[in-house]
């Protein structure tokens, strides 16, 4: 006969953790605990195969199920020493659903099943608490009627409200056992009236009713919707777990508590937890009574006057400590456990890997390696890469008070406090006189770079996670809260408002870039500690990692930060960021306003020395590590000012009529600048611009090579190509410059010319492009914009709605859209490699610092990922984990 | 021994037209003419295999080549009755390159080869024209020295200039035979000085020098670049054709002329051409002497006082007529021929298919079918689809004078004259009082639709072939010149300027939308004639065509025009175009400005009756043909006004504060509207909009079905989907409305729900999307914009430079980019069909009316193409040709 039922308890189990598909997550986990000798309340699980049978056979059960359930129930009775339906010592059980994948809220649990008019008296006597027993009974009736019998919940609530009103009380806890008896009678009347038959007193009928309800719930609307949204096949089915109830509130030899196998906030290897004598689980959480510590050490550390469990119940404490040790050894991770002591016996109700702070996470992983519990590889897999972010920036003192006035997007992590200013110029002025400032803008533009640099933090009221402010701030490691839409910035009045709060220029505010909180006043911050454990872990990370990690950086500060965080090169140096410096922007504008090529060349000649020095600095800092330089990318109008005053200034500086400036601004205006005259389209139109940039790069490379003796291999990158022709044309310009530079300097260097792949067409034509391109760098920001037809500056208007309505799961600008953008990257990588085996492939969009995206990059064999300097450690860890997962998958 | 040389002449030939790969285009064509008995000057072709041998064997010739060339040359001497290098009757030859694919300008031709100090005297005597002989000789020295010997051209020009200066003349023609003799001496000195050896007098040396130069030219930089740009493999090689020279200027028994086998402007089956006695070919073209007609009929028709060839040389005329008949029968097409009569003998120098007007093209194709020369299928292939455009619009009277003041892009064909106005409102006002107007704008926007409708023509100073003005004008069949960048429109001053011409409001101008010309004053136009031949041809077109042709249309006028031109349904009805009507735009704006869903619903309820009536009209006109309706696509800000006055008006109309309007305009502003909150993103955000539109469509379908008894099957199309989820959500909205409409009307209709594929991601996810979508329509305008990352509104800034520099061959918004966008369409078609075999696939971008793009659509098996009504005949013809080519290719 087929096996439908799997028992657990008493140090044995017919199932185990790896039988998740058959027993569901909950059933498998309980079996596992029992199997390794941890005391769990006994019970049994009806397998998912029964669910499948049920739906394939007109809602009927397979032969033998009834017998197997009876038998298993008898086993539970024997183990627990109580009988189901017994008047004196009744066994009570819980009935729960449990699918292969967690489906929270799919069906309510039924607790206290087995209570009826007779057994409730037995419970009252054994617990020596009538009120508890009758309260449990009325809860059972309410829950069972709702879940199993389909009587609407609110009808019971109406009765309860009325009883409380009549008794003149407002809290359930103020009702006596007698009151509850009355409630129970009215509940039973209600059920009889609604269903035309009485509430079932037969405990066997109760249990089969509950089992049927669980199976039935697999096809309710809530479950169907949930499965559709999460891609769970209907065929999986659910299991049903029946488990004996245990109570921690049956007397002074009872207790209940929660415990962590190590300190979840520091990671210290110290048993940690709280308990209450003669209490229910929810009492510990609810905070009605003050919980006591488990250990004497814990008690002393927190200065608690109440005795520790170690003192009060030394034997049971030892039992618990043994369980803790066994579970940690078994699961090889810090455990978060729930336990109940019923009349002198310890029962474990649950264990799971405990949540912890990131520093605890790192410490535990490292400690467990020295304790021999984990291998280094396993330790590497234990830390959530995204979490590392918290370690790398200053954070708000968790003890400090926060007066949160608004919440935006956590656009660039870290905390910062300062005086608020509303223009980039003001930021520079204030900063010069030694003030710490927070720059608050509706949105930032490239012109604001100077002001952003000197600010402690940046706040914008528009824009998303990949807006200009967010991207630049992350690159600088400056905390940023973006898109705080409730705030209205009034630049002219030099103030901002949120509801009825007015914040004037110079007022102190604090930003938490990790949560998106905007806080009034100055909140104390805590500096990051790169502890020894962190360094040890990152060492292991680099041992297993196969993909390189570079940084997106253009300033010496960025580059130094990147190196400090372990970057193995620069994957994206955006040369245009170098043109916004006040001295340079003049020449840049002169170039744009020039009427012809000689005019442009004259202006470019002025820019050359600056640009060359930029690269000298970068190459020197990067000491022979690869540096990928992207030639000018943004449309030229980004360099021209928009206000009348600024246009007047530019005209004066350039010695031309302001009308000419205005004409240029109008002529350069674009409907969709993202899809406009930018990238290599500028290089094709004005080759002299790329010529100057190539000269600056190559002259700098020669200079640094001569000075340091270290060989510099610049990688020159052409943005926004659609196909091979543009790249050929630009490479010819670069090659010609190289010839000249090498001839003039008497030194020849290796340099590579490659391309961004950031347009769908470029991805499709990659095979052709790779004939010329020596490397590809996937610009996933723009590739996402074009593949999805979605402007990241404008997506804020609808992306949130898309997320709410389940159209997208994650922000495609934060986590790579693998189905769409990812397929194009895969195609490009394959075609590129087919033409040029071993072609260097990297990614330099914002996704380079996103763990899920990094894993994708590993899976398709990219050479490196490149990300903001502050995300380099995250990318390193993510890449290491991806390498390990890939190795295991093979 | 291998055969390297192929002779032709004397009614025989060793080669033929199908030996193009071996003999090159020119060699094969000469062989063909000779083979069918047409008298061509004899000669021979050295095959491309010699070229291949030459480059594989260190620039050496294969064994036997010398003998074969000698032999062939002897044959030519025999045929022509002259001897190479002979002092009395010298044979002169031309030496030309000839590749498999035409490579114009790859190498200059060498003419008159065989002249030297001795033979020149023979030529002088035989031609009885010393001046001619010595001029020929100096030309030969100059040409040969430049092409073969590498002496720079300008050195010869310097000598010639000096000689003319000394002689006190300015024209070559003013120099005498004696002068030329002097020039020859100085040329020979120059060569001797430059090369250190004399100009070759040995005619054999001359010929081998020229042959070697042709083969050498295959690898010169010009040829390499040309091949790279045109994708011609190096391995093809070039052939060399050596042909005897003939002269039409050796006396009164000589002549030269050009002839068309039929009238190239009307297509009439009448021999047509001109000739000159005792003249060179260039004399006919140069217009120095007045050419005479070939036929008496031609002479009379054109009122020429000069005698016809038919009269002057009746025997030779009959020879020519016979050749004409033979060539037409052989090539089955109207021929454009060049001939020379040397001393009483007719020689044909060239024949090729003649250029002709489109009406001639149609008439000739139809006539040739009745003459039994062509099958109907062949006739269909004979007319250039693009050319048909000329037949469908009024054109400028070719005899009228044109004062062209500027040239823009030929954005919408046809000619129109009228009084110029500078705003859409003015256009409506002027039109109401009966004036014909031309609307001139910097660029148009959807708000201008009303004004465009009443205008005879539209002129813009910005924007390309697919700008708003161009697209809308083509849709309306209104002539349009776009992007006439020299013109400056000053709306406030109500005038426009181009250089020093000022055109004020009300001045008459004429537009030629087929050439892009802007003309001062009113030019007479000629109405199109849909002749009987046109109708006959289109009948054959529809017999062979397999792909359907629909039209993009939304107004009753558009729909009627589409039907008149043979559209088989509407492939794209853009519902937003229906919202710009003055009565409707108010409700539309009310909807946009509403604060919540009830507010939006109230405004939408006002729009419903209008929108429903739109569809009632369309369905009625289309009589059961399929109509694909695209739900609202553009971003909402397009419906809001930008100027203060208009915003004030809207505020007053809506009874709200103007500040609210301004706030909405700012809130809806987008950086890249093309990639913004539009398409189904509106539907997902405000489902009530699509709900109203679906209701209007379905209620109209029910009403028309009831009224006409004809079943209406609306196809409802969701724009801008990225994947299946959005489509599912929108389909649910439509299905729910359908249920209600069918219940209320007591009538159930079939309707289809499908989607635009206009984002790269949608193309990639087509397999998934097709689970829900019942049809795909490729929106190639947007798909091109996203795949290439190129805004069509902004591309004007760089696309022309890209074309000039050879980065792109054609405007990707006019002709589908098959390598990029095409691959995505192919992927989508394949994946869509894999999920839903037989899924209806169409294209509705501008490319639907472009012949090359239509051919691509046929090749990947689309169900239909949809284009502007006025392009429907073009698409029909293109589709028929594509079907025929595909059938032949199989």
């Amino acid at each position: 006969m087929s096996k439908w039922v799997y028992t657990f308890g008493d140090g044995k189990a017919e199932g185990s953790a790896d039988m998740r598909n058959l027993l569901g997550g909950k059933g498998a986990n309980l079996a596992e605990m029992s199997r390794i000798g941890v005391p769990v309340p006994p019970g049994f699980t009806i397998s998912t195969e029964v669910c499948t049978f049920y739906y394939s056979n007109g809602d009927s059960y397979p032969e033998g199920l009834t017998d197997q359930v009876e038998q298993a129930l008898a086993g539970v009775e024997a183990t627990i020493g109580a009988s189901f339906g017994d008047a004196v010592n009744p066994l009570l059980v819980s009935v729960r659903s449990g699918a292969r994948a967690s489906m929270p809220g799919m069906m309510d649990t039924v607790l206290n099943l087995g209570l009826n008019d007779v057994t409730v008296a037995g419970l009252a006597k054994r617990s020596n608490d009538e009120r508890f027993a009758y309260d449990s009974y009325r809860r059972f009736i309410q829950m069972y009627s709702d879940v199993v019998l389909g009587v609407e919940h609110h009808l019971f609530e109406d009765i309860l409200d009325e009883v409380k009103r009549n008794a003149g009380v407002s809290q359930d806890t103020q009702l006596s056992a007698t009151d509850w008896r009355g409630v129970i009678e009215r509940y039973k009347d209600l059920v009889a009236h609604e269903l035309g038959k009485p509430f079932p007193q037969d405990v066997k009928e109760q249990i089969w009713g509950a089992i049927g309800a669980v199976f039935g719930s697999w096809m309710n609307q809530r479950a169907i919707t949930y499965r559709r949204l999460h891609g769970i096949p209907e065929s999986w089915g659910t299991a049903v777990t029946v488990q004996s109830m245990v109570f921690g509130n049956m007397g002074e030899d009872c207790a209940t508590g929660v415990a962590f196998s190590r300190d979840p906030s520091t990671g210290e290897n110290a048993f940690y937890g709280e308990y209450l004598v003669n209490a229910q689980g929810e009492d510990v959480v609810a905070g009605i009574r003050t919980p006591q510590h488990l250990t004497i050490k814990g008690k002393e550390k927190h200065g608690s006057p109440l005795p520790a469990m170690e003192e009060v119940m030394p034997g049971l404490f030892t039992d618990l400590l043994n369980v803790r040790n066994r579970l940690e050894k078994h699961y090889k991770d810090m455990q978060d456990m729930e336990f109940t002591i019923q009349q002198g016996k310890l029962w474990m109700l649950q264990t799971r890997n405990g949540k912890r702070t990131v520093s605890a996470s790192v410490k535990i992983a490292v400690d467990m390696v020295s304790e021999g519990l984990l291998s280094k590889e396993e330790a590497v897999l234990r830390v959530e890469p995204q979490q590392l972010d918290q370690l790398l920036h200053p954070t708000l003192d968790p003890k400090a008070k926060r007066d949160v006035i608004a919440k935006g997007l956590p656009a660039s992590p870290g905390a910062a406090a300062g005086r608020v200013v509303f223009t980039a110029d003001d930021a520079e002025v204030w900063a010069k006189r030694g003030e710490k400032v927070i720059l608050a803008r509706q949105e930032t533009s490239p012109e604001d770079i100077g002001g952003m640099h000197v600010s402690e933090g940046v706040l914008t009221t528009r824009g998303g996670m990949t807006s200009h402010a967010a991207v630049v701030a992350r690159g600088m490691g400056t905390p940023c809260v973006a898109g705080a839409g409730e705030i209205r910035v009034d630049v002219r009045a030099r103030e901002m408002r949120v509801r009825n709060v007015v914040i004037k220029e110079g007022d102190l505010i604090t930003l938490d870039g990790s949560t998106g909180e905007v806080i009034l006043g100055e909140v104390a911050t805590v500096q990051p500690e790169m502890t020894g454990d962190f360094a040890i872990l990152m060492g292991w990370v680099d041992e297993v990692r196969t993909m390189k990690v570079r940084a997106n950086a253009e300033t010496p500060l960025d580059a130094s930060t990147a190196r400090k965080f372990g970057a193995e090169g620069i994957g994206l140096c955006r040369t245009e960021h170098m043109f916004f410096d006040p001295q340079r922007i003049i020449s840049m504008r002169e170039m744009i306003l020039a009427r012809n090529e000689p005019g442009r060349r004259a202006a470019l000649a002025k820019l050359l020395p600056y640009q060359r020095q930029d690269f000298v600095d970068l190459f020197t800092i990067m000491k022979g590590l690869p540096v990928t330089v992207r030639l000018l990318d943004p449309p030229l109008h980004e360099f021209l000012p928009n206000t009348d005053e600024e246009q007047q200034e530019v005209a004066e500086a350039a010695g031309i009529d302001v009308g000419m400036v205005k004409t240029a601004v109008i002529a350069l205006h674009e409907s969709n600048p993202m899809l406009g005259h930018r990238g290599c389209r500028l290089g094709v139109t004005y080759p002299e611009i790329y010529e100057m940039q190539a000269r600056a790069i190559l002259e700098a490379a020669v200079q640094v090579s001569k000075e340091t003796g270290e060989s510099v291999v610049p990688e020159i990158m052409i943005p926004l190509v659609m196909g091979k022709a543009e790249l050929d044309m630009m490479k010819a310009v670069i090659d010609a410059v190289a010839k000249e530079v090498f001839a003039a300097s008497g030194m020849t260097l290796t340099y590579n010319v490659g391309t961004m792949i950031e347009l769908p067409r470029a991805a499709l034509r990659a095979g052709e492009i790779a004939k010329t391109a020596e490397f590809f760098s996937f610009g996933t920001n723009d590739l996402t914009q074009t593949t999805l037809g979605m402007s990241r500056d404008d997506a804020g208007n609808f992306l949130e709605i898309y997320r709410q309505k389940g159209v997208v799961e994650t922000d495609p600008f934060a986590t790579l859209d693998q189905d769409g953008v990812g397929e194009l990257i895969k195609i490009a990588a394959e075609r590129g490699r087919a033409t040029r085996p071993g072609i260097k492939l990297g990614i330099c969009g914002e996704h380079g610092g996103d763990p899920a995206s990094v894993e994708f990059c590993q899976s398709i064999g990219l050479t490196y990922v490149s990300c903001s300097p502050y995300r380099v450690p995250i990318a390193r860890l993510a890449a290491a984990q991806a390498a390990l997962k890939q190795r295991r998958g093979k």
Side-chain angles (χ1 to χ4, degrees), chain A:
Chain A
M1 201 195 289
S2 300
K3 182 161 182 62
W4 306 111
V5 173
Y6 294 77
T7 61
F8 57 85
D10 204 15
K12 296 188 296 278
E14 293 177 330
S16 65
D18 53 11
M19 290 167 74
R20 199 177 180 91
N21 294 358
L22 195 65
L23 305 182
K26 193 188 313 293
N29 191 36
L30 285 166
E32 185 73 10
M33 279 208 282
S34 186
R35 208 175 53 76
I36 63 166
V38 169
V40 297
F44 56 88
T45 300
I46 304 171
S47 83
T48 56
E49 287 175 353
V50 175
C51 187
T52 312
F53 182 99
Y54 182 82
Y55 281 107
S56 326
N57 293 276
D59 299 2
S60 71
Y61 295 121
E63 217 194 304
L65 180 68
T66 319
D67 289 349
Q68 292 184 21
V69 167
E70 294 284 341
Q71 234 170 347
L73 201 55
V76 174
E77 290 176 328
T79 306
I80 203 84
S83 285
F84 198 48
D86 190 77
V88 179
N89 189 9
L91 168 69
L92 305 187
V93 297
S94 62
V95 179
R96 291 179 166 100
S97 69
R100 191 191 297 196
S102 169
M103 289 172 62
M106 185 185 101
M107 192 197 122
D108 296 320
T109 300
V110 181
L111 297 176
N112 296 330
L113 189 142
L115 282 175
N116 58 21
D117 295 350
V118 177
T119 58
V120 68
L123 180 65
K125 200 150 179 206
R126 280 191 65 83
S127 66
N128 207 10
D129 187 347
E130 252 200 318
R131 196 193 166 283
F132 155 70
Y134 285 95
D135 184 17
S136 301
Y137 188 25
R138 75 92 196 173
R139 282 173 193 267
F140 167 60
I141 295 172
Q142 195 167 342
M143 197 178 256
Y144 190 93
S145 300
D146 177 17
V147 173
V148 181
L149 304 177
V151 181
E152 281 188 50
H153 187 69
H154 74 90
L155 298 174
F156 295 97
E157 291 298 331
D158 291 348
I159 291 173
L160 187 52
D161 286 346
E162 197 186 319
V163 170
K164 282 194 281 187
R165 233 182 0 260
N166 292 346
V169 302
S170 62
Q171 302 290 323
D172 285 10
T173 47
Q174 297 171 289
L175 293 180
S176 67
T178 316
D179 292 332
W180 287 128
R181 278 214 189 85
V183 169
I184 288 164
E185 287 314 309
R186 295 194 52 184
Y187 276 11
K188 288 198 293 188
D189 288 350
L190 169 66
V191 172
H193 176 260
E194 286 291 314
L195 302 178
K197 55 181 183 181
F199 184 83
Q201 291 290 323
D202 177 356
V203 295
K204 288 285 165 64
E205 188 187 339
Q206 287 177 2
I207 199 168
W208 283 105
I211 291 167
V214 171
F215 285 134
S217 73
W218 181 249
M219 293 301 281
N220 71 24
Q221 199 49 50
R222 230 184 331 164
I224 290 168
T225 305
Y226 188 92
R227 282 199 296 272
R228 186 173 55 75
L229 286 175
H230 294 81
I232 299 172
E234 197 177 296
S235 61
W236 282 5
T238 184
V240 181
T241 292
V242 177
Q243 189 180 20
S244 63
M245 300 284 300
V246 290
F247 298 97
N249 55 346
M250 280 184 165
E252 290 305 308
D253 57 350
C254 298
T256 191
V258 295
F260 286 88
S261 62
R262 303 187 185 216
D263 188 321
S265 69
T266 65
E268 193 194 349
N269 186 356
F271 192 31
Y272 175 91
E274 296 173 331
Y275 81 111
L276 278 174
V277 173
N278 197 10
Q280 278 186 298
E282 50 267 45
D283 298 339
V284 181
V285 186
I288 298 168
R289 285 165 58 188
T290 306
Q292 297 163 243
H293 282 269
L294 293 184
T295 62
I296 296 168
K297 212 173 140 191
K299 175 184 98 167
E300 286 167 354
K301 187 171 165 192
H302 293 87
S304 166
L306 300 168
M309 182 182 181
E310 200 176 352
E311 298 165 296
V312 178
M313 300 172 158
L316 285 161
F317 175 76
T318 307
D319 288 352
L320 184 61
L321 195 61
N322 287 338
V323 166
R324 173 250 188 188
N325 293 342
R326 199 174 308 146
L327 286 174
E328 246 204 8
K329 207 165 248 162
H330 186 69
Y331 287 105
K332 297 179 176 182
D333 202 351
M334 188 266 272
Q335 295 299 299
D336 169 1
M337 300 158 284
E338 290 175 24
F339 65 90
T340 286
I341 291 164
Q342 179 177 309
Q343 296 169 323
K345 173 142 179 59
L346 171 70
W347 299 103
M348 298 307 294
L349 302 182
Q350 177 158 295
T351 191
R352 57 187 167 193
N353 296 337
K355 290 206 191 312
R356 65 206 80 176
T357 64
V358 61
S359 39
S361 182
V362 171
K363 180 167 175 48
I364 290 169
V366 172
D367 283 354
M368 282 188 169
V369 172
S370 41
E371 290 163 26
L373 272 177
L374 295 182
S375 68
K376 291 173 186 177
E377 286 79 8
E378 286 168 325
V380 164
L381 286 167
R382 280 298 161 73
V383 179
E384 182 62 48
Q386 196 64 59
Q387 269 197 315
L388 278 193
D389 220 11
Q390 295 173 25
L391 279 190
L392 309 173
H393 300 275
T395 47
L396 289 181
D397 183 347
K399 288 170 213 134
K401 262 196 140 182
R402 305 178 176 201
D403 181 5
V404 177
I405 51 168
K407 207 164 169 192
L409 298 167
S412 177
R419 300 195 178 277
V420 69
V421 293
F422 300 100
T423 75
D425 288 344
D426 289 343
E428 297 199 56
V429 171
W430 284 62
K432 254 188 208 140
R433 58 176 199 244
E435 298 278 3
K436 289 189 168 188
V437 295
I438 301 284
L439 177 61
R441 304 277 294 159
Q442 198 170 54
E443 49 196 340
T444 63
S445 74
E447 299 173 47
D448 296 331
I449 297 263
M452 292 174 76
H453 250 298
V454 300
S455 298
E456 303 297 310
V458 176
L459 168 65
T460 68
T461 58
R462 290 180 63 166
M465 291 297 287
T466 48
S467 61
H468 177 266
V471 172
V472 173
R474 278 199 294 276
M476 295 174 175
T478 301
C480 173
V481 173
E486 301 159 276
I487 298 178
R488 290 274 168 270
V489 165
D490 186 340
V491 178
R492 254 177 293 184
R494 293 281 195 274
E495 63 176 38
M496 64 186 193
R497 286 165 181 274
V498 52
R499 285 176 309 270
N500 52 353
V501 184
V502 181
I503 296 137
K504 298 204 164 290
E505 185 179 63
D507 288 356
L508 277 167
I509 64 168
T510 302
L511 302 180
D512 188 341
S514 309
T515 62
E517 287 173 344
V518 182
I519 302 159
L520 207 58
E522 182 166 18
V523 181
T525 54
V526 181
Q527 285 305 307
E529 281 177 56
M530 305 283 196
T531 63
D533 287 333
F534 176 78
I536 293 169
L537 184 79
M538 292 310 286
W540 299 339
V541 158
D542 290 344
E543 280 170 30
V544 296
R545 184 159 57 86
T546 59
M547 200 162 48
K548 298 271 179 194
V549 175
R550 299 193 190 179
N552 301 343
E554 36 271 337
T555 66
L557 179 64
D558 288 344
S560 306
T561 308
R563 291 222 55 187
K564 188 177 84 187
F565 284 132
E568 293 158 303
I570 290 178
L572 177 62
C573 165
R574 288 158 288 210
T575 52
E576 60 272 15
H577 284 194
M578 302 166 162
F579 292 137
F580 284 101
D581 187 274
Q583 292 160 303
R584 307 177 183 193
I585 190 89
I586 294 173
S587 306
M588 189 67 190
R589 287 168 176 167
E590 195 182 320
M591 198 269 306
I592 296 168
L593 296 169
R595 276 192 221 133
N596 50 27
E597 194 186 316
R600 281 191 298 275
R601 283 192 181 276
L604 287 165
K606 294 185 205 162
L607 285 169
L608 175 64
Y610 291 114
Q611 182 109 88
R612 186 174 46 221
Q613 189 56 44
D614 291 333
F615 296 123
V616 167
D617 293 345
L618 275 188
F619 293 149
T620 306
I621 292 167
M622 295 312 289
K623 293 205 173 125
L625 291 174
V627 175
T628 308
V629 182
R630 180 179 71 185
L631 302 189
L632 190 69
D633 184 53
L636 296 182
H637 54 73
E638 285 201 6
F639 298 96
L640 293 183
N642 287 314
T643 67
D644 286 344
E645 293 129 318
E646 285 172 309
Q647 288 172 353
Q648 186 62 49
E649 270 176 50
V650 170
E652 278 164 26
I656 56 173
D657 190 79
V658 71
M660 276 186 63
V661 178
K662 285 187 190 299
T663 305
V665 169
I666 292 167
L668 289 172
H669 169 80
E670 293 184 311
S671 309
N672 297 287
M674 157 68 205
L675 308 175
H677 195 177
R678 50 170 287 235
C680 68
R681 293 162 192 176
L682 294 173
V684 170
T685 315
Y686 311 115
E688 55 276 13
I689 300 179
Y690 278 17
E691 201 183 306
M692 181 280 283
Q693 295 197 292
R695 180 175 296 278
I697 295 164
L698 292 164
E699 287 181 352
V702 166
Q703 183 181 330
V704 173
S705 293
K706 281 185 177 172
E707 282 170 9
T708 64
E710 199 109 40
S711 79
V712 177
V713 183
E715 300 176 336
I716 302 178
M717 183 156 74
I718 311 299
L720 213 74
V721 302
M722 299 190 302
K724 180 168 169 287
E726 296 151 306
L727 181 60
D728 285 346
M729 211 167 280
M730 295 300 99
K731 185 174 187 314
V733 170
I734 295 164
D735 288 347
V737 169
K739 237 186 202 169
E740 285 178 34
V741 171
F742 297 158
S745 66
M747 181 176 193
T748 298
L749 282 177
T750 304
Y751 63 96
N752 296 142
V753 178
T755 174
M756 300 276 282
I757 299 287
E758 50 188 338
L759 298 176
R761 191 180 198 280
L764 295 168
R765 303 301 298 161
E768 186 77 4
I769 293 171
K771 287 184 189 165
T772 304
E774 293 169 292
F775 62 87
F776 287 167
S777 179
F778 293 100
T780 51
N781 294 346
D782 280 2
L783 193 56
T784 299
Q785 296 199 82
T786 46
T787 306
L788 275 60
M790 193 186 283
S791 160
R792 70 178 185 192
D793 293 328
D794 305 316
N797 286 336
F798 53 89
L799 205 51
E800 185 49 37
I801 294 161
Y802 262 47
R803 205 147 45 173
Q804 283 165 11
K805 298 200 176 181
V807 177
V808 296
E809 274 178 45
T810 50
D811 179 347
F813 295 112
T815 296
L816 195 78
D817 160 42
Q818 295 188 17
D819 287 343
V821 180
E823 181 172 3
L824 283 175
I825 294 176
K826 241 189 269 183
I827 288 172
E830 279 161 18
R831 294 182 182 182
R833 280 199 204 100
T835 300
R836 188 185 286 265
I839 185 171
K840 215 186 286 180
L841 302 173
I843 175 180
C844 65
E846 281 293 301
H847 303 96
D850 170 68
S853 310
V854 169
E855 186 174 341
F856 172 78
C857 293
Q858 171 85 22
S859 76
I860 61 164
L862 296 197
T863 322
Y864 68 86
V865 296
S866 188
C867 57
S868 308
Y870 277 84
R871 292 192 78 80
V872 166
I874 297 166
R876 283 162 67 201
L877 177 54
Q881 292 186 350
L884 288 171
K885 284 181 198 162
Q886 196 178 39
R887 212 191 288 168
R888 287 179 183 189
K890 270 178 189 160

